[in-house]
């Protein structure tokens, strides 16, 4: 959250809220539906990987009443990335996205994130998330960048 917050401030996008929510489908759906109407951009991190508890993609699909489908573009990217015989069912899960999503490319591990309307779903691994965010920030509508200056002061207090 600190990285995204700093990046947004640097390109002049006001950050209004950061929320940490659990891997609970109902909470994810409710939060996405609420934030989708309230904010210009929503960035999610984590929950789009190959494990059973990665439910963000499916939950976002439900929030938008979209089918959760194998995205053929994502499937081909992942199939090319993994050596023959290593693109197993768990890894194939990373090609499951809300229908008609835009892909957010991942130059480190190939597993794409996605964008649907104003929701950007990014990886949870910090280095991967940072690369994904940097690749998409050029397409965000920027404002006037904020200049933040920190002034350190030192003072002494004498008590007699």
């Amino acid at each position: 959250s600190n990285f995204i917050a700093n990046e947004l401030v640097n390109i002049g996008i006001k950050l209004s809220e950061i929320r940490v929510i659990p891997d609970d489908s109902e909470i994810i759906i409710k939060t996405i539906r609420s934030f989708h109407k309230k904010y210009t951009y929503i960035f999610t991190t984590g929950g789009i990987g190959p494990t059973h508890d990665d439910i963000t993609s499916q939950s976002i699909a439900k929030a938008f009443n979209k089918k959760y489908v194998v995205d053929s573009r994502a499937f081909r990217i992942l199939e090319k990335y993994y050596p023959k015989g290593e693109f197993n069912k768990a890894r194939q899960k990373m090609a499951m996205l809300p229908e008609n999503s835009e892909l957010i490319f991942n130059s480190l591990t190939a597993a794409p994130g996605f964008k649907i309307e104003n929701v950007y779903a990014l990886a949870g691994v910090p280095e991967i998330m940072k690369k994904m965010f940097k690749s998409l920030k050029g397409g965000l509508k920027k404002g006037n960048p904020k200049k933040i200056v920190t002034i350190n002061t030192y003072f002494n207090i004498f008590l007699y």
Side-chain angles (χ1 to χ4, degrees):
S1 60
N2 186 51
F3 171 81
I4 292 174
N6 285 326
E7 291 289 313
L8 292 174
V9 167
N10 289 336
I11 60 174
I13 296 175
K14 181 184 176 198
L15 176 64
S16 298
E17 185 172 346
I18 295 173
R19 186 175 297 183
V20 177
I21 60 175
D23 290 325
D24 179 304
S25 186
E26 292 306 313
I27 294 172
I28 295 169
I29 293 166
K30 182 179 175 184
T31 304
I32 292 296
R33 286 180 176 161
S34 169
F35 282 16
H36 166 65
K37 295 174 186 167
K38 188 174 179 181
Y39 299 115
T40 304
Y41 300 111
I42 298 99
F43 301 97
T44 70
T45 60
I48 62 171
T51 61
H52 73 281
D53 60 340
D54 289 321
I55 60 169
T56 301
S57 299
Q58 187 172 11
S59 299
I60 291 173
K62 288 179 184 177
F64 283 102
N65 298 311
K66 298 280 186 177
K67 291 180 184 175
Y68 181 58
V69 298
V70 174
D71 184 288
S72 60
R73 301 162 301 164
F75 192 91
R76 283 192 303 273
I77 290 167
L78 291 162
E79 190 174 41
K80 286 179 186 176
Y81 177 78
Y82 287 104
K84 189 169 178 84
E86 292 186 25
F87 187 42
N88 58 31
K89 287 285 183 198
R91 290 176 171 152
Q92 290 174 23
K93 180 182 179 227
M94 294 185 292
M96 299 281 298
L97 304 173
E99 66 181 338
N100 302 318
S101 298
E102 293 178 38
L103 297 184
I104 300 172
F105 293 98
N106 167 357
S107 62
L108 290 179
T109 64
F114 64 91
K115 174 185 179 268
I116 183 165
E117 298 196 27
N118 61 339
V119 177
Y120 297 78
L122 309 173
V125 176
E127 289 308 310
I128 300 170
M129 177 275 300
K130 289 175 183 178
K131 287 252 187 200
M132 292 171 91
F133 186 86
K134 286 179 179 180
S135 77
L136 66 84
K137 79 176 185 179
L140 302 176
K141 184 177 178 186
K142 296 162 186 66
N144 294 321
K146 307 294 184 233
K147 185 171 184 173
I148 299 173
V149 177
T150 302
I151 300 172
N152 294 315
T153 60
Y154 299 94
F155 60 93
N156 294 313
I157 298 176
F158 297 94
L159 301 172
Y160 295 97

